[in-house]
Amino acid sequence: MSTTAAHAATRVDNPFVGAGVYVNPEWSAKAAAEPGGSAVSSQPTAVWMDRIAAINGVNGGMGLRDHLNAAVQQAAGKPYVFQVVIYDLPGRDCAALASNGELGPTDLPRYKSEFIDPIAAILADPAYANLRIVTTVEIDSLPNLVTNAGGTATATANCDVMKANGNYINGVGYALAKLGAIPNVYNYVDAGHHGWLGWDSNLQPAIDTIKQAATASGSTVNNVQGFIVNTANYSALHETNFTVGDSVNGTSVRQSKWVDWNQYVDEASYAKAWRTKAIASGFNSNIGMLIDTSRNGWGGANRPTGPGPKTSVDAYVDGGRIDRRFQTGNWCNQSGAGLGERPKAAPEDGIAAYVWVKPPGESDGASQAIANDEGKGFDRMCDPTYTGNPRNNNNMSGALPNAPLAGAWFSAQFQELLKNAYPALGTGGTTDTTAPTAPTGLAATATSSSVALTWTASTDNVGVTGYDVYRGGTLIGSTNSTSFSDTGLTASTAYSYTVKAKDAAGNVSAASAALSVTTSAGGTTDTTPPSTPTNLAATTTSSSASLTWGASTDNVGVTGYNVYRGGTLIGSTTSTSYTDSGLSAATAYSYTVKAKDAAGNLSAAAAVTATTQAGTGTGSAGCTATYKVSSDWGAGFNADVTVTAGNTAIKSWKVTWTYAGNQQVTNLWNGTVSQSGQSVTVNNAGYNGAVAANGTTSFGFGASYSGSNAVPTLTCTATS
């Protein structure tokens, strides 16, 4: 093999498109040796660098350079992806024990010089310049700083130490900077999974924490090509039998024991929401999401074939959910789990690829204490007799018995995954030739410009994976649910629709019976105005005011918002934000926002007063703060506060407010809080006090209350 590459690989937005992916020969051999394993032994999996010794190979096994050389041979000059997990932070996996690492909490210098630097030197070898090297960067660690440190109910002493010393933040930043400097390396940072970070109180703080790391130790957000979710985990890709918006007898699915107020019920919806919020938080707009589908199939005889009974919200969710764990916090060698979707490039909008990062058959952790020299402890979550802890709401662990150390081959787990694979395995993976049944019960409701379709789910010998919707014989969209909305239509016009079901093998059902739908007449028949925008708030500079508000609802549909200054219309927008610029410094302005619908109905106005900051020629110091309730369940709520610096960078900040009611802050992240009666004071944490000119940071909190929950007026002060 040549030591230089004739042509470096061209950089692309999605490295998986148009490329082969490396098949790890060591994993492939183990899989092929298992009964039935040849059905998947040619699937690509990631190579794990989980300790310093792995760089050169452990116990005679392949090292990083050996794997890269093999990848070059497999590529044979064609575009080719090599997946590698970077996983050896100091104080690694502070909330669990099974995957504890070799480096202590203060071993950041060793992490840099003995782990990252040698890996970077190998990856930068010109011999590998034609490969597209995709990294998964430090699983679990950064999300642990959000949920398992800083006074949360699930905090651990080890995570508190890592949050305080900053070595997770600085270690990841160093890795991103060092690896991101290599032109053919694509960094994807671990973003947990929906059952961990899907709550309002966790998701945005997790993105903010990762952004801290992405801009630490000389790194920038340009070193992040995307994020990966569900790494080495079991969360279902799509929950097809219920949505977070469903309700049973007036009770929201979010109130079920399983969903537990989460905003997301599966990994695909969580990944797409994460991407949208990450871009809004300053990451590049071309980032993509990876989903680890190696063990989230949940197939086999126990896979639900339709929704659960509507006798109660728990019966509805538990009877229909694909993910059959006791609780979404269960992560170790799960009984009943199966192989998920096979690796695939660009399978959904915003998703760069389904990948198998965790090699199926490798243990998550030992089911009992086993002496070892790898720094791996015994975690009771891997013990099938364990009744749980606060991080899984004290549920049984659901783990398989007789498991070896994390990373060791676990034949019983591999056989469990084969048995419960979804899509199911056939010989060579191609024996499913049975198409799903045709959808039935196609029905519709129409407005003057849209048609909302619903139908009864199809059945299949293996499983339905989605539906294609046709208007007049033309494919207009696909969906994983049994509903679809067709918009942008003409009033008083007849349209014909059919729907076809499809499965993972590509079999397509016969078309449903055709349904003819006529849109309603346009004009003034809709006389119902939208609801008033909620939580209108403003942040200012010396010359602008940025408004945000909560979305309105309407019996037909909200088409936009009108923004008024002092009663004069100054603009319209289809989003829930608007910036008014060219203002005078130190001046109060009155704003109102009204929602509108297609019929021209306007909502009542939401109002706010915003005072621009004082100007001083070179820019004014100071800060502003906005307060937004992200979820409210009647007896408590979560809120997010955004702090925005003025035209001069600040070194520290303090936000104060006084509640009108009996609200009591119960826990707060990304800051320190004190409350006396109705008065609340929040000071910055040690890591987020410094904010660039016109930059932002944020904190969030949970609180209890009874009665009313009015949004308070915030005061922000800063030092520069």
Side-chain angles (χ1 to χ4, degrees):
M1 182 181 65
S2 170
T3 58
T4 61
H7 303 286
T10 301
R11 193 157 191 88
V12 295
D13 283 345
N14 185 350
F16 290 88
V17 171
V21 187
Y22 176 62
V23 178
N24 181 344
E26 291 184 312
W27 175 82
S28 181
K30 292 175 183 176
E34 290 280 343
S38 59
V40 295
S41 59
S42 61
Q43 294 292 342
T45 55
V47 172
W48 285 57
M49 294 291 106
D50 59 354
R51 45 184 157 154
I52 293 167
I55 299 172
N56 293 320
V58 179
N59 298 326
M62 297 172 69
L64 179 58
R65 192 176 289 278
D66 297 323
H67 283 292
L68 287 162
N69 291 341
V72 170
Q73 292 179 342
Q74 289 183 20
K78 299 177 182 178
Y80 218 66
V81 171
F82 177 81
Q83 300 176 94
V84 59
V85 178
I86 308 300
Y87 186 46
D88 200 27
L89 268 182
R92 187 181 76 192
D93 205 356
C94 59
L97 299 171
S99 298
N100 286 165
E102 62 189 348
L103 300 178
T106 61
D107 281 340
L108 183 61
R110 289 189 63 198
Y111 176 76
K112 294 178 178 180
S113 63
E114 298 180 41
F115 185 65
I116 295 299
D117 289 354
I119 289 175
I122 293 172
L123 298 185
D125 190 323
Y128 312 126
N130 281 326
L131 296 174
R132 300 174 181 177
I133 300 172
V134 170
T135 67
T136 291
V137 179
E138 294 297 353
I139 300 164
D140 290 349
S141 297
L142 294 174
N144 272 323
L145 299 183
V146 175
T147 63
N148 298 320
T152 64
T154 54
T156 70
N158 289 340
C159 289
D160 284 336
V161 168
M162 299 317 301
K163 185 166 186 173
N165 69 23
N167 284 347
Y168 279 3
I169 296 290
N170 290 313
V172 170
Y174 184 84
L176 292 173
K178 195 80 175 182
L179 301 174
I182 304 169
N184 58 316
V185 168
Y186 300 77
N187 291 318
Y188 289 81
V189 182
D190 183 70
H193 58 89
H194 87 275
W196 182 5
L197 301 179
W199 286 269
D200 295 329
S201 55
N202 293 343
L203 199 155
Q204 188 61 51
I207 292 174
D208 294 341
T209 299
I210 291 178
K211 188 178 179 183
Q212 280 184 272
T215 54
S217 300
S219 181
T220 72
V221 294
N222 294 328
N223 291 318
V224 177
Q225 277 67 56
F227 302 90
I228 182 167
V229 301
N230 204 45
T231 314
N233 213 272
Y234 298 88
S235 296
L237 181 63
H238 298 115
E239 285 287 2
T240 56
N241 295 323
F242 64 93
T243 73
V244 74
D246 291 350
S247 62
V248 177
N249 301 323
T251 301
S252 167
V253 155
R254 293 186 66 197
Q255 293 177 251
S256 68
K257 182 179 179 182
W258 173 259
V259 178
D260 191 26
W261 294 103
N262 203 316
Q263 290 279 28
Y264 309 98
V265 298
D266 56 31
E267 285 306 291
S269 61
Y270 168 71
K272 293 172 184 179
W274 179 286
R275 180 178 182 273
T276 298
K277 291 177 181 292
I279 292 171
S281 299
F283 285 94
N284 293 333
S285 61
N286 64 345
I287 58 172
M289 302 296 295
L290 304 178
I291 304 178
D292 187 353
T293 59
S294 59
R295 306 183 303 175
N296 70 343
W298 294 103
N302 293 324
R303 184 181 178 90
T305 57
K310 289 197 170 183
T311 53
S312 71
V313 70
D314 285 323
Y316 176 65
V317 171
D318 290 340
R321 59 183 168 93
I322 304 300
D323 186 340
R324 298 192 302 278
R325 288 176 291 176
F326 290 115
Q327 206 267 345
T328 56
N330 289 0
W331 53 266
C332 193
N333 298 323
Q334 290 299 285
S335 175
L339 300 170
E341 288 280 353
R342 317 308 176 247
K344 183 186 306 181
E348 304 180 50
D349 289 344
I351 308 301
Y354 300 150
V355 292
W356 282 10
V357 167
K358 177 69 173 181
E362 291 189 2
S363 174
D364 295 325
S367 53
Q368 58 186 353
I370 299 176
N372 67 92
D373 59 359
E374 301 176 27
K376 295 173 181 175
F378 168 52
D379 196 304
R380 289 293 306 281
M381 285 298 292
C382 298
D383 175 358
T385 68
Y386 186 46
T387 56
N389 56 48
R391 287 187 292 282
N392 81 331
N393 285 342
N394 296 295
N395 281 275
M396 295 293 292
S397 71
L400 292 169
N402 305 314
L405 285 174
W409 189 256
F410 188 11
S411 178
Q413 184 218 61
F414 187 79
Q415 290 300 319
E416 185 93 343
L417 296 174
L418 289 179
K419 179 180 68 175
N420 297 312
Y422 185 88
L425 301 173
T427 304
T430 60
T431 58
D432 179 15
T433 59
T434 302
T437 61
T440 58
L442 184 59
T445 57
T447 68
S448 61
S449 61
S450 66
V451 170
L453 299 168
T454 60
W455 58 90
T456 301
S458 297
T459 59
D460 186 65
N461 63 316
V462 176
V464 175
T465 59
Y467 299 88
D468 291 335
V469 181
Y470 297 80
R471 185 201 316 132
T474 300
L475 178 66
I476 58 171
S478 299
T479 178
N480 296 311
S481 69
T482 55
S483 62
F484 184 86
S485 291
D486 186 19
T487 58
L489 304 179
T490 302
S492 301
T493 303
Y495 295 92
S496 178
Y497 294 92
T498 55
V499 179
K500 297 179 182 180
K502 56 189 177 181
D503 63 19
N507 301 305
V508 178
S509 76
S512 68
L515 177 68
S516 180
V517 185
T518 300
T519 51
S520 59
T524 60
T525 55
D526 175 17
T527 59
T528 303
S531 64
T532 306
T534 58
N535 298 326
L536 179 60
T539 58
T540 64
T541 67
S542 61
S543 61
S544 68
S546 295
L547 306 174
T548 60
W549 57 88
S552 297
T553 59
D554 186 66
N555 63 316
V556 177
V558 174
T559 58
Y561 300 86
N562 288 344
V563 181
Y564 304 80
R565 184 199 320 127
T568 300
L569 178 65
I570 59 171
S572 297
T573 178
T574 57
S575 70
T576 54
S577 62
Y578 184 87
T579 298
D580 185 22
S581 56
L583 305 178
S584 300
T587 302
Y589 293 90
S590 176
Y591 292 94
T592 54
V593 177
K594 298 179 181 180
K596 57 185 177 181
D597 62 20
N601 300 304
L602 291 177
S603 74
V608 69
T609 298
T611 301
T612 52
Q613 299 179 33
T616 59
T618 59
S620 60
C623 60
T624 58
T626 59
Y627 179 112
K628 181 179 180 181
V629 175
S630 54
S631 60
D632 189 324
W633 51 95
F637 65 100
N638 289 324
D640 298 312
V641 176
T642 300
V643 176
T644 303
N647 294 340
T648 300
I650 61 176
K651 294 181 180 179
S652 64
W653 49 264
K654 178 173 71 175
V655 178
T656 60
W657 67 88
T658 300
Y659 281 121
N662 61 0
Q663 297 95 328
Q664 288 291 316
V665 175
T666 55
N667 64 303
L668 183 138
W669 48 94
N670 294 338
T672 58
V673 63
S674 62
Q675 181 169 0
S676 176
Q678 296 172 305
S679 299
V680 180
T681 300
V682 178
N683 289 284
N684 60 269
Y687 55 80
N688 66 351
V691 183
N694 300 314
T696 64
T697 188
S698 63
F699 63 90
F701 62 90
S704 62
Y705 80 101
S706 61
S708 62
N709 187 25
V711 173
T713 300
L714 273 57
T715 300
C716 186
T717 57
T719 61
S720 59

